[in-house]
Short mmCIF file of all heavy atoms in Angstrom, two decimals:
data_model
loop_
_atom_site.label_atom_id
_atom_site.label_comp_id
_atom_site.label_asym_id
_atom_site.label_seq_id
_atom_site.Cartn_x
_atom_site.Cartn_y
_atom_site.Cartn_z
N MET A 804 40.92 71.52 54.43
CA MET A 804 39.77 71.10 53.65
C MET A 804 38.84 70.24 54.50
O MET A 804 37.64 70.40 54.44
CB MET A 804 40.26 70.34 52.41
CG MET A 804 39.17 69.97 51.48
SD MET A 804 38.49 71.42 50.72
CE MET A 804 38.15 70.84 49.13
N GLY A 805 39.42 69.33 55.28
CA GLY A 805 38.60 68.46 56.12
C GLY A 805 37.80 69.24 57.14
O GLY A 805 36.64 68.92 57.41
N ILE A 806 38.40 70.28 57.71
CA ILE A 806 37.69 71.11 58.69
C ILE A 806 36.53 71.84 58.01
O ILE A 806 35.43 71.89 58.53
CB ILE A 806 38.65 72.11 59.36
CG1 ILE A 806 39.65 71.36 60.23
CG2 ILE A 806 37.88 73.15 60.17
CD1 ILE A 806 40.77 72.21 60.77
N PHE A 807 36.78 72.37 56.81
CA PHE A 807 35.72 73.07 56.07
C PHE A 807 34.57 72.13 55.76
O PHE A 807 33.41 72.44 56.05
CB PHE A 807 36.27 73.66 54.77
CG PHE A 807 35.20 74.17 53.85
CD1 PHE A 807 34.52 75.34 54.14
CD2 PHE A 807 34.85 73.47 52.71
CE1 PHE A 807 33.53 75.81 53.29
CE2 PHE A 807 33.87 73.93 51.86
CZ PHE A 807 33.21 75.10 52.17
N LEU A 808 34.87 70.97 55.20
CA LEU A 808 33.81 70.04 54.83
C LEU A 808 33.13 69.43 56.06
O LEU A 808 31.94 69.16 56.04
CB LEU A 808 34.36 68.94 53.93
CG LEU A 808 34.83 69.40 52.55
CD1 LEU A 808 35.46 68.26 51.78
CD2 LEU A 808 33.69 70.02 51.76
N GLY A 809 33.89 69.24 57.12
CA GLY A 809 33.32 68.67 58.34
C GLY A 809 32.39 69.62 59.06
O GLY A 809 31.51 69.19 59.81
N SER A 810 32.56 70.91 58.86
CA SER A 810 31.73 71.90 59.56
C SER A 810 30.63 72.48 58.67
O SER A 810 29.94 73.40 59.07
CB SER A 810 32.60 73.02 60.10
OG SER A 810 33.20 73.74 59.03
N THR A 811 30.48 71.94 57.48
CA THR A 811 29.48 72.44 56.55
C THR A 811 28.43 71.37 56.29
O THR A 811 28.75 70.21 56.12
CB THR A 811 30.15 72.82 55.21
OG1 THR A 811 31.21 73.74 55.48
CG2 THR A 811 29.18 73.46 54.26
N SER A 812 27.18 71.77 56.24
CA SER A 812 26.12 70.80 55.97
C SER A 812 26.04 70.53 54.47
O SER A 812 26.44 71.35 53.64
CB SER A 812 24.77 71.34 56.45
OG SER A 812 24.35 72.42 55.64
N ARG A 813 25.52 69.37 54.11
CA ARG A 813 25.33 69.02 52.70
C ARG A 813 24.43 70.05 52.01
O ARG A 813 24.69 70.47 50.90
CB ARG A 813 24.71 67.63 52.59
CG ARG A 813 24.48 67.20 51.15
CD ARG A 813 23.81 65.87 51.07
NE ARG A 813 24.67 64.85 51.63
CZ ARG A 813 24.35 63.58 51.72
NH1 ARG A 813 23.19 63.17 51.28
NH2 ARG A 813 25.18 62.72 52.25
N GLU A 814 23.38 70.46 52.72
CA GLU A 814 22.45 71.44 52.15
C GLU A 814 23.15 72.78 51.90
O GLU A 814 22.82 73.48 50.96
CB GLU A 814 21.25 71.64 53.08
CG GLU A 814 20.36 70.43 53.20
CD GLU A 814 20.92 69.36 54.15
OE1 GLU A 814 21.78 69.67 55.01
OE2 GLU A 814 20.52 68.19 54.00
N GLY A 815 24.11 73.14 52.74
CA GLY A 815 24.83 74.40 52.58
C GLY A 815 25.73 74.43 51.35
O GLY A 815 26.10 75.49 50.87
N LEU A 816 26.08 73.25 50.83
CA LEU A 816 26.93 73.16 49.65
C LEU A 816 26.15 72.98 48.36
O LEU A 816 26.72 73.01 47.28
CB LEU A 816 27.92 72.00 49.80
CG LEU A 816 28.92 72.13 50.95
CD1 LEU A 816 29.73 70.85 51.08
CD2 LEU A 816 29.84 73.31 50.73
N ASP A 817 24.86 72.75 48.47
CA ASP A 817 24.02 72.49 47.29
C ASP A 817 23.83 73.76 46.48
O ASP A 817 23.64 74.85 47.02
CB ASP A 817 22.66 71.94 47.73
CG ASP A 817 21.98 71.11 46.67
OD1 ASP A 817 22.35 71.23 45.48
OD2 ASP A 817 21.06 70.35 47.02
N PHE A 818 23.90 73.63 45.16
CA PHE A 818 23.65 74.76 44.26
C PHE A 818 22.15 74.87 44.06
O PHE A 818 21.45 73.87 43.92
CB PHE A 818 24.35 74.52 42.91
CG PHE A 818 24.43 75.75 42.06
CD1 PHE A 818 25.49 76.64 42.21
CD2 PHE A 818 23.45 76.04 41.13
CE1 PHE A 818 25.56 77.78 41.43
CE2 PHE A 818 23.51 77.18 40.35
CZ PHE A 818 24.57 78.05 40.50
N GLU A 819 21.64 76.08 44.02
CA GLU A 819 20.20 76.30 43.85
C GLU A 819 19.89 76.78 42.45
O GLU A 819 20.67 77.50 41.83
CB GLU A 819 19.72 77.32 44.88
CG GLU A 819 19.84 76.84 46.30
CD GLU A 819 19.41 77.87 47.31
OE1 GLU A 819 19.23 79.05 46.95
OE2 GLU A 819 19.25 77.49 48.48
N ASP A 820 18.71 76.39 41.96
CA ASP A 820 18.26 76.84 40.65
C ASP A 820 17.75 78.27 40.75
O ASP A 820 17.84 78.91 41.80
CB ASP A 820 17.22 75.89 40.06
CG ASP A 820 15.90 75.87 40.82
OD1 ASP A 820 15.67 76.73 41.70
OD2 ASP A 820 15.07 75.00 40.52
N ASN A 821 17.20 78.77 39.66
CA ASN A 821 16.74 80.16 39.61
C ASN A 821 15.56 80.44 40.55
O ASN A 821 15.28 81.59 40.85
CB ASN A 821 16.35 80.54 38.18
CG ASN A 821 17.56 80.58 37.28
OD1 ASN A 821 18.65 80.91 37.71
ND2 ASN A 821 17.38 80.24 36.02
N GLN A 822 14.89 79.38 41.02
CA GLN A 822 13.78 79.54 41.96
C GLN A 822 14.21 79.27 43.40
O GLN A 822 13.37 79.21 44.29
CB GLN A 822 12.62 78.60 41.60
CG GLN A 822 11.77 79.07 40.43
CD GLN A 822 12.49 78.87 39.09
OE1 GLN A 822 13.07 77.82 38.85
NE2 GLN A 822 12.44 79.87 38.25
N GLY A 823 15.51 79.07 43.63
CA GLY A 823 16.01 78.83 44.97
C GLY A 823 15.89 77.39 45.44
O GLY A 823 16.04 77.11 46.63
N LYS A 824 15.59 76.46 44.54
CA LYS A 824 15.45 75.05 44.90
C LYS A 824 16.79 74.34 44.74
O LYS A 824 17.50 74.55 43.75
CB LYS A 824 14.41 74.36 44.01
CG LYS A 824 13.03 74.93 44.15
CD LYS A 824 12.08 74.22 43.20
CE LYS A 824 10.72 74.89 43.21
NZ LYS A 824 9.85 74.33 42.17
N PRO A 825 17.16 73.49 45.70
CA PRO A 825 18.42 72.76 45.60
C PRO A 825 18.43 71.83 44.39
O PRO A 825 17.40 71.26 44.02
CB PRO A 825 18.50 71.95 46.90
CG PRO A 825 17.29 72.27 47.68
CD PRO A 825 16.42 73.17 46.90
N LEU A 826 19.60 71.68 43.76
CA LEU A 826 19.68 70.89 42.52
C LEU A 826 20.37 69.54 42.65
O LEU A 826 20.27 68.72 41.74
CB LEU A 826 20.42 71.72 41.46
CG LEU A 826 19.58 72.78 40.78
CD1 LEU A 826 20.46 73.69 39.95
CD2 LEU A 826 18.51 72.15 39.93
N PHE A 827 21.08 69.27 43.75
CA PHE A 827 21.86 68.04 43.79
C PHE A 827 21.00 66.78 43.68
O PHE A 827 21.26 65.93 42.82
CB PHE A 827 22.74 67.96 45.04
CG PHE A 827 23.52 66.68 45.09
CD1 PHE A 827 24.62 66.50 44.27
CD2 PHE A 827 23.13 65.63 45.91
CE1 PHE A 827 25.33 65.31 44.27
CE2 PHE A 827 23.83 64.44 45.92
CZ PHE A 827 24.94 64.28 45.10
N GLN A 828 20.01 66.62 44.51
CA GLN A 828 19.20 65.40 44.48
C GLN A 828 18.46 65.23 43.14
O GLN A 828 18.45 64.14 42.57
CB GLN A 828 18.21 65.35 45.65
CG GLN A 828 18.88 65.09 46.98
CD GLN A 828 19.60 63.76 47.05
OE1 GLN A 828 19.23 62.77 46.42
NE2 GLN A 828 20.67 63.73 47.81
N PRO A 829 17.86 66.28 42.58
CA PRO A 829 17.24 66.14 41.26
C PRO A 829 18.27 65.78 40.17
O PRO A 829 17.98 64.99 39.28
CB PRO A 829 16.61 67.50 40.99
CG PRO A 829 16.37 68.08 42.34
CD PRO A 829 17.50 67.58 43.18
N ALA A 830 19.47 66.35 40.25
CA ALA A 830 20.52 66.02 39.27
C ALA A 830 20.95 64.57 39.41
O ALA A 830 21.16 63.87 38.42
CB ALA A 830 21.72 66.95 39.44
N LEU A 831 21.07 64.11 40.64
CA LEU A 831 21.43 62.72 40.89
C LEU A 831 20.38 61.78 40.31
O LEU A 831 20.71 60.78 39.67
CB LEU A 831 21.59 62.49 42.40
CG LEU A 831 21.99 61.10 42.86
CD1 LEU A 831 23.33 60.69 42.29
CD2 LEU A 831 22.00 61.05 44.39
N ALA A 832 19.11 62.11 40.49
CA ALA A 832 18.04 61.28 39.94
C ALA A 832 18.02 61.32 38.41
O ALA A 832 17.78 60.30 37.76
CB ALA A 832 16.69 61.75 40.49
N LYS A 833 18.29 62.47 37.83
CA LYS A 833 18.26 62.63 36.37
C LYS A 833 19.48 62.01 35.69
O LYS A 833 19.35 61.28 34.70
CB LYS A 833 18.19 64.12 36.02
CG LYS A 833 18.26 64.41 34.53
CD LYS A 833 18.34 65.90 34.25
CE LYS A 833 18.58 66.14 32.78
NZ LYS A 833 19.31 67.35 32.52
N GLU A 834 20.68 62.30 36.19
CA GLU A 834 21.92 61.92 35.51
C GLU A 834 22.62 60.70 36.12
O GLU A 834 23.53 60.17 35.51
CB GLU A 834 22.89 63.11 35.53
CG GLU A 834 22.41 64.33 34.78
CD GLU A 834 22.40 64.13 33.28
OE1 GLU A 834 23.23 63.36 32.76
OE2 GLU A 834 21.54 64.75 32.63
N GLY A 835 22.24 60.31 37.33
CA GLY A 835 22.93 59.24 38.02
C GLY A 835 24.14 59.77 38.75
O GLY A 835 24.51 60.93 38.61
N PRO A 836 24.77 58.91 39.56
CA PRO A 836 25.94 59.38 40.33
C PRO A 836 27.13 59.71 39.43
O PRO A 836 27.28 59.13 38.35
CB PRO A 836 26.27 58.19 41.24
CG PRO A 836 25.51 57.04 40.73
CD PRO A 836 24.44 57.53 39.82
N VAL A 837 27.92 60.66 39.87
CA VAL A 837 29.11 61.03 39.11
C VAL A 837 30.24 60.05 39.41
O VAL A 837 30.33 59.52 40.51
CB VAL A 837 29.58 62.48 39.40
CG1 VAL A 837 28.57 63.48 38.91
CG2 VAL A 837 29.87 62.68 40.88
N GLY A 838 31.09 59.83 38.42
CA GLY A 838 32.27 59.01 38.60
C GLY A 838 33.41 59.82 39.20
O GLY A 838 33.26 61.02 39.48
N GLU A 839 34.54 59.17 39.34
CA GLU A 839 35.70 59.79 39.98
C GLU A 839 36.16 61.07 39.28
O GLU A 839 36.62 62.00 39.92
CB GLU A 839 36.85 58.79 40.00
CG GLU A 839 38.07 59.27 40.73
CD GLU A 839 39.15 58.20 40.80
OE1 GLU A 839 38.88 57.03 40.51
OE2 GLU A 839 40.28 58.56 41.15
N HIS A 840 36.03 61.14 37.97
CA HIS A 840 36.50 62.31 37.21
C HIS A 840 35.35 63.01 36.49
O HIS A 840 35.53 63.57 35.41
CB HIS A 840 37.57 61.88 36.20
CG HIS A 840 38.77 61.27 36.85
ND1 HIS A 840 39.72 62.02 37.49
CD2 HIS A 840 39.14 59.98 36.98
CE1 HIS A 840 40.64 61.23 37.99
NE2 HIS A 840 40.32 59.98 37.69
N GLU A 841 34.18 62.99 37.10
CA GLU A 841 33.00 63.62 36.51
C GLU A 841 32.43 64.65 37.47
O GLU A 841 32.75 64.67 38.65
CB GLU A 841 31.92 62.58 36.21
CG GLU A 841 32.29 61.58 35.16
CD GLU A 841 31.19 60.58 34.91
OE1 GLU A 841 30.61 60.07 35.89
OE2 GLU A 841 30.93 60.29 33.75
N MET A 842 31.57 65.49 36.93
CA MET A 842 30.87 66.49 37.73
C MET A 842 29.56 66.85 37.05
O MET A 842 29.37 66.60 35.86
CB MET A 842 31.73 67.74 37.91
CG MET A 842 31.99 68.50 36.62
SD MET A 842 33.11 69.92 36.79
CE MET A 842 32.09 71.07 37.68
N TYR A 843 28.64 67.42 37.82
CA TYR A 843 27.43 67.99 37.24
C TYR A 843 27.77 69.43 36.83
O TYR A 843 28.48 70.13 37.54
CB TYR A 843 26.29 68.02 38.25
CG TYR A 843 25.88 66.66 38.77
CD1 TYR A 843 25.93 66.38 40.12
CD2 TYR A 843 25.45 65.68 37.89
CE1 TYR A 843 25.54 65.13 40.60
CE2 TYR A 843 25.07 64.44 38.37
CZ TYR A 843 25.12 64.17 39.72
OH TYR A 843 24.75 62.94 40.18
N ALA A 844 27.24 69.84 35.69
CA ALA A 844 27.49 71.20 35.22
C ALA A 844 26.32 71.66 34.37
O ALA A 844 25.50 70.85 33.94
CB ALA A 844 28.78 71.24 34.40
N PHE A 845 26.28 72.95 34.13
CA PHE A 845 25.23 73.50 33.28
C PHE A 845 25.74 73.61 31.86
O PHE A 845 26.87 74.01 31.62
CB PHE A 845 24.79 74.87 33.81
CG PHE A 845 24.22 74.81 35.18
CD1 PHE A 845 24.95 75.22 36.28
CD2 PHE A 845 22.95 74.32 35.38
CE1 PHE A 845 24.44 75.15 37.55
CE2 PHE A 845 22.41 74.24 36.65
CZ PHE A 845 23.16 74.65 37.74
N GLU A 846 24.87 73.26 30.93
CA GLU A 846 25.24 73.33 29.51
C GLU A 846 24.14 74.06 28.76
O GLU A 846 23.01 73.57 28.72
CB GLU A 846 25.39 71.91 28.97
CG GLU A 846 26.16 71.83 27.67
CD GLU A 846 26.48 70.40 27.33
OE1 GLU A 846 25.53 69.65 27.00
OE2 GLU A 846 27.65 70.04 27.38
N PRO A 847 24.43 75.22 28.20
CA PRO A 847 25.72 75.91 28.19
C PRO A 847 26.08 76.43 29.57
O PRO A 847 25.23 76.59 30.44
CB PRO A 847 25.50 77.06 27.21
CG PRO A 847 24.04 77.30 27.18
CD PRO A 847 23.39 75.98 27.49
N ALA A 848 27.36 76.71 29.75
CA ALA A 848 27.87 77.20 31.03
C ALA A 848 27.18 78.50 31.42
O ALA A 848 26.79 79.30 30.56
CB ALA A 848 29.38 77.42 30.93
N LEU A 849 27.03 78.71 32.71
CA LEU A 849 26.38 79.92 33.21
C LEU A 849 27.09 81.18 32.75
O LEU A 849 26.44 82.20 32.47
CB LEU A 849 26.30 79.89 34.74
CG LEU A 849 25.49 78.75 35.35
CD1 LEU A 849 25.57 78.82 36.87
CD2 LEU A 849 24.06 78.76 34.86
N CYS A 850 28.41 81.12 32.64
CA CYS A 850 29.18 82.33 32.27
C CYS A 850 28.95 82.77 30.83
O CYS A 850 29.34 83.88 30.46
CB CYS A 850 30.66 82.12 32.55
SG CYS A 850 31.44 80.84 31.55
N ILE A 851 28.33 81.93 30.02
CA ILE A 851 28.03 82.33 28.64
C ILE A 851 26.53 82.33 28.38
O ILE A 851 26.08 82.16 27.25
CB ILE A 851 28.77 81.47 27.59
CG1 ILE A 851 28.46 79.99 27.75
CG2 ILE A 851 30.26 81.72 27.65
CD1 ILE A 851 28.97 79.12 26.62
N GLY A 852 25.75 82.50 29.45
CA GLY A 852 24.32 82.66 29.29
C GLY A 852 23.47 81.43 29.58
O GLY A 852 22.27 81.46 29.35
N GLY A 853 24.08 80.36 30.07
CA GLY A 853 23.31 79.18 30.42
C GLY A 853 22.36 79.47 31.57
O GLY A 853 22.50 80.46 32.28
N LYS A 854 21.39 78.58 31.76
CA LYS A 854 20.40 78.76 32.81
C LYS A 854 20.66 77.76 33.94
O LYS A 854 20.97 76.60 33.70
CB LYS A 854 19.00 78.56 32.26
CG LYS A 854 18.63 79.60 31.24
CD LYS A 854 17.23 79.41 30.75
CE LYS A 854 16.93 80.50 29.72
NZ LYS A 854 15.65 80.33 29.09
N ALA A 855 20.49 78.23 35.16
CA ALA A 855 20.68 77.39 36.34
C ALA A 855 19.39 76.64 36.65
O ALA A 855 18.63 77.01 37.54
CB ALA A 855 21.12 78.24 37.53
N ASP A 856 19.12 75.60 35.85
CA ASP A 856 17.96 74.76 36.11
C ASP A 856 18.29 73.32 35.74
O ASP A 856 19.29 73.04 35.09
CB ASP A 856 16.72 75.26 35.38
CG ASP A 856 16.87 75.32 33.87
OD1 ASP A 856 17.66 74.55 33.29
OD2 ASP A 856 16.20 76.15 33.25
N LEU A 857 17.46 72.41 36.20
CA LEU A 857 17.71 70.98 36.01
C LEU A 857 17.75 70.60 34.54
O LEU A 857 18.52 69.73 34.13
CB LEU A 857 16.66 70.16 36.75
CG LEU A 857 16.88 68.66 36.78
CD1 LEU A 857 18.20 68.31 37.45
CD2 LEU A 857 15.72 67.97 37.45
N GLU A 858 16.95 71.26 33.73
CA GLU A 858 16.90 70.96 32.30
C GLU A 858 18.26 71.15 31.63
O GLU A 858 18.60 70.46 30.68
CB GLU A 858 15.86 71.86 31.64
CG GLU A 858 15.69 71.63 30.16
CD GLU A 858 14.66 72.57 29.55
OE1 GLU A 858 13.74 73.00 30.26
OE2 GLU A 858 14.80 72.88 28.35
N HIS A 859 19.06 72.10 32.12
CA HIS A 859 20.36 72.40 31.52
C HIS A 859 21.53 71.79 32.27
O HIS A 859 22.67 72.10 32.00
CB HIS A 859 20.54 73.92 31.43
CG HIS A 859 19.59 74.54 30.46
ND1 HIS A 859 18.38 75.04 30.84
CD2 HIS A 859 19.66 74.70 29.12
CE1 HIS A 859 17.74 75.50 29.77
NE2 HIS A 859 18.51 75.30 28.71
N MET A 860 21.24 70.91 33.23
CA MET A 860 22.30 70.27 34.01
C MET A 860 22.64 68.92 33.39
O MET A 860 21.75 68.14 33.05
CB MET A 860 21.88 70.10 35.46
CG MET A 860 23.01 69.60 36.34
SD MET A 860 22.56 69.67 38.08
CE MET A 860 23.11 71.32 38.47
N VAL A 861 23.94 68.68 33.23
CA VAL A 861 24.44 67.44 32.64
C VAL A 861 25.61 66.92 33.47
O VAL A 861 26.18 67.63 34.28
CB VAL A 861 24.89 67.65 31.17
CG1 VAL A 861 23.73 68.03 30.28
CG2 VAL A 861 26.00 68.69 31.09
N LYS A 862 25.94 65.68 33.23
CA LYS A 862 27.11 65.07 33.86
C LYS A 862 28.19 64.99 32.79
O LYS A 862 27.94 64.52 31.69
CB LYS A 862 26.74 63.67 34.37
CG LYS A 862 27.85 62.95 35.05
CD LYS A 862 27.38 61.66 35.72
CE LYS A 862 26.82 60.67 34.75
NZ LYS A 862 26.53 59.38 35.38
N LEU A 863 29.39 65.47 33.11
CA LEU A 863 30.46 65.46 32.11
C LEU A 863 31.83 65.32 32.75
O LEU A 863 31.96 65.30 33.96
CB LEU A 863 30.39 66.72 31.24
CG LEU A 863 29.98 68.05 31.86
CD1 LEU A 863 31.05 68.58 32.75
CD2 LEU A 863 29.63 69.02 30.79
N SER A 864 32.85 65.23 31.91
CA SER A 864 34.23 65.08 32.37
C SER A 864 34.68 66.34 33.10
O SER A 864 34.65 67.43 32.53
CB SER A 864 35.15 64.81 31.18
OG SER A 864 36.50 64.94 31.56
N MET A 865 35.11 66.18 34.34
CA MET A 865 35.53 67.33 35.14
C MET A 865 36.73 68.04 34.52
O MET A 865 36.74 69.27 34.42
CB MET A 865 35.88 66.87 36.56
CG MET A 865 36.24 67.99 37.49
SD MET A 865 36.76 67.46 39.14
CE MET A 865 35.63 66.18 39.56
N ASP A 866 37.72 67.29 34.11
CA ASP A 866 38.93 67.90 33.55
C ASP A 866 38.63 68.75 32.33
O ASP A 866 39.09 69.88 32.22
CB ASP A 866 39.96 66.82 33.19
CG ASP A 866 40.44 66.04 34.39
OD1 ASP A 866 40.35 66.55 35.52
OD2 ASP A 866 40.89 64.90 34.20
N VAL A 867 37.87 68.20 31.41
CA VAL A 867 37.55 68.92 30.17
C VAL A 867 36.70 70.14 30.48
O VAL A 867 36.97 71.24 29.98
CB VAL A 867 36.84 67.99 29.16
CG1 VAL A 867 36.35 68.77 27.96
CG2 VAL A 867 37.75 66.84 28.75
N HIS A 868 35.69 69.98 31.30
CA HIS A 868 34.79 71.10 31.60
C HIS A 868 35.53 72.25 32.27
O HIS A 868 35.36 73.41 31.90
CB HIS A 868 33.63 70.62 32.47
CG HIS A 868 32.62 71.69 32.72
ND1 HIS A 868 31.86 72.27 31.74
CD2 HIS A 868 32.25 72.31 33.87
CE1 HIS A 868 31.07 73.19 32.25
NE2 HIS A 868 31.29 73.23 33.55
N LEU A 869 36.36 71.94 33.26
CA LEU A 869 37.09 73.00 33.95
C LEU A 869 38.10 73.68 33.03
O LEU A 869 38.32 74.90 33.13
CB LEU A 869 37.77 72.46 35.21
CG LEU A 869 36.79 72.01 36.29
CD1 LEU A 869 37.55 71.41 37.47
CD2 LEU A 869 35.87 73.12 36.74
N MET A 870 38.67 72.93 32.10
CA MET A 870 39.60 73.53 31.13
C MET A 870 38.84 74.48 30.20
O MET A 870 39.31 75.58 29.90
CB MET A 870 40.29 72.43 30.32
CG MET A 870 41.40 72.97 29.44
SD MET A 870 42.45 71.72 28.64
CE MET A 870 41.40 70.33 28.40
N VAL A 871 37.66 74.08 29.76
CA VAL A 871 36.85 74.94 28.89
C VAL A 871 36.44 76.20 29.65
O VAL A 871 36.52 77.31 29.11
CB VAL A 871 35.61 74.18 28.36
CG1 VAL A 871 34.63 75.11 27.71
CG2 VAL A 871 36.04 73.08 27.40
N LEU A 872 35.98 76.06 30.89
CA LEU A 872 35.61 77.23 31.68
C LEU A 872 36.79 78.18 31.87
O LEU A 872 36.63 79.41 31.81
CB LEU A 872 35.06 76.82 33.04
CG LEU A 872 33.69 76.16 33.05
CD1 LEU A 872 33.30 75.77 34.46
CD2 LEU A 872 32.63 77.04 32.42
N ASP A 873 37.97 77.62 32.09
CA ASP A 873 39.16 78.46 32.24
C ASP A 873 39.42 79.24 30.95
O ASP A 873 39.76 80.43 31.00
CB ASP A 873 40.37 77.58 32.58
CG ASP A 873 41.62 78.41 32.79
OD1 ASP A 873 41.58 79.34 33.62
OD2 ASP A 873 42.64 78.13 32.13
N GLN A 874 39.25 78.62 29.80
CA GLN A 874 39.46 79.30 28.52
C GLN A 874 38.41 80.39 28.30
O GLN A 874 38.71 81.44 27.73
CB GLN A 874 39.42 78.30 27.37
CG GLN A 874 40.58 77.33 27.37
CD GLN A 874 41.91 78.03 27.20
OE1 GLN A 874 42.07 78.89 26.35
NE2 GLN A 874 42.87 77.65 28.03
N LEU A 875 37.18 80.16 28.76
CA LEU A 875 36.12 81.14 28.57
C LEU A 875 36.34 82.41 29.39
O LEU A 875 35.90 83.48 29.00
CB LEU A 875 34.76 80.53 28.95
CG LEU A 875 34.23 79.49 27.98
CD1 LEU A 875 32.98 78.84 28.57
CD2 LEU A 875 33.91 80.11 26.63
N ARG A 876 37.03 82.30 30.50
CA ARG A 876 37.23 83.48 31.35
C ARG A 876 38.33 84.39 30.82
O ARG A 876 38.52 85.48 31.31
CB ARG A 876 37.50 83.08 32.79
CG ARG A 876 38.84 82.47 33.02
CD ARG A 876 39.05 82.13 34.50
NE ARG A 876 40.35 81.55 34.70
CZ ARG A 876 41.46 82.26 34.92
NH1 ARG A 876 41.42 83.57 34.97
NH2 ARG A 876 42.62 81.67 35.09
N ARG A 877 39.07 83.98 29.85
CA ARG A 877 40.19 84.78 29.33
C ARG A 877 39.75 85.72 28.25
O ARG A 877 38.88 85.69 27.57
CB ARG A 877 41.28 83.87 28.78
CG ARG A 877 41.90 83.08 29.89
CD ARG A 877 42.87 82.07 29.36
NE ARG A 877 43.23 81.18 30.45
CZ ARG A 877 44.44 80.78 30.67
NH1 ARG A 877 45.42 81.15 29.90
NH2 ARG A 877 44.71 79.97 31.66
#
């Protein structure tokens, strides 16, 4: 993991919106920094028709969100 993260640029890991613009810095400005057990995510989730844009990005509990996404894929 360290080798992967050490050889990858921050920009290369950023998720892009529907217009190809990076979302991390705008999400940080909108929602604030994430805590130890939080993440930025789209609401509704992309897999159920959500949109990849800043308007639909929220900060939420990582554990709960990943569990919900896992249930949606079944």
Side-chain angles (χ1 to χ4, degrees):
M804 185 68 144
I806 293 171
F807 170 73
L808 293 175
S810 65
T811 305
S812 70
R813 180 183 297 179
E814 293 78 21
L816 296 173
D817 204 341
F818 194 87
E819 295 178 347
D820 67 10
N821 292 328
Q822 282 75 45
K824 297 178 187 173
L826 282 170
F827 179 75
Q828 288 299 329
L831 181 61
K833 176 186 173 210
E834 297 290 330
V837 293
E839 184 176 347
H840 299 284
E841 294 180 316
M842 66 184 288
Y843 300 121
F845 298 104
E846 198 170 69
L849 298 178
C850 64
I851 57 170
K854 295 182 180 175
D856 59 28
L857 186 60
E858 181 181 332
H859 293 93
M860 188 171 270
V861 295
K862 181 172 62 173
L863 37 71
S864 167
M865 184 184 318
D866 297 337
V867 173
H868 184 64
L869 293 177
M870 188 171 31
V871 168
L872 289 178
D873 182 54
Q874 293 298 314
L875 288 172
R876 71 179 181 87
R877 294 174 191 223

